[in-house]
Amino acid sequence: QVQLVESGGGLVQPGGSLRLSCAASGRTFRSGTMGWFRQIPGKEREFVAVIRWSDGSTYYTNDVKGRFTISRDRMKDTAYLQMSNLKPEDTATYYCGATASRLIVSSLRNGEYYDYWGHGTQVTVSS
């Protein structure tokens, strides 16, 4: 069993930055892949970014390329999502998920591949 806890959300003005964290605990998380998704009320959860724990390979949805950066600290079992140049349309609850899938990272855009989820952290971009 893996527990995931997100943090770092908040209220930020358009153009601002936030860094989200996703700390993994429980069964040692030394392999697999972690992804960030986001969801607004009434809509399906959508893929944001993913990182493979072993080699750091990443993949992003087009909407965030050049603005968001996903990374991981293997010593701390923590994944990060650095978000810059935030826009009002980035407002959502952000969730991290973990999967043991060995598919290439660009294939892990569907939440159904993920075995564990955190409870989410709210990001609001507004002036």
Side-chain angles (χ1 to χ4, degrees):
Q1 190 77 4
V2 174
Q3 291 80 44
L4 302 174
V5 178
E6 303 95 337
S7 62
L11 173 64
V12 64
Q13 292 186 341
S17 300
L18 281 175
R19 188 177 80 157
L20 306 183
S21 300
C22 175
S25 62
R27 182 171 63 86
T28 301
F29 191 79
R30 290 289 183 263
S31 63
T33 303
M34 291 184 76
W36 285 98
F37 288 73
R38 63 188 180 186
Q39 188 172 24
I40 60 176
K43 298 194 73 174
E44 292 187 356
R45 192 171 298 187
E46 68 171 3
F47 167 77
V48 176
V50 61
I51 188 165
R52 175 135 290 149
W53 215 250
S54 58
D55 62 10
S57 56
T58 60
Y59 187 79
Y60 299 87
T61 188
N62 287 338
D63 287 350
V64 307
K65 282 182 181 177
R67 300 190 298 123
F68 292 10
T69 303
I70 190 171
S71 62
R72 89 279 193 234
D73 184 329
R74 289 191 287 180
M75 294 298 293
K76 295 181 178 179
D77 282 344
T78 299
Y80 302 97
L81 186 68
Q82 177 67 48
M83 306 185 295
S84 302
N85 191 22
L86 282 160
K87 304 176 182 180
E89 51 264 44
D90 294 318
T91 295
T93 301
Y94 283 71
Y95 298 88
C96 66
T99 175
S101 174
R102 304 299 293 174
L103 292 174
I104 58 172
V105 290
S106 59
S107 296
L108 295 173
R109 296 166 292 178
N110 189 324
E112 293 184 358
Y113 288 118
Y114 293 77
D115 306 301
Y116 305 99
W117 291 96
H119 292 294
T121 185
Q122 177 67 35
V123 172
T124 303
V125 185
S126 175
S127 55

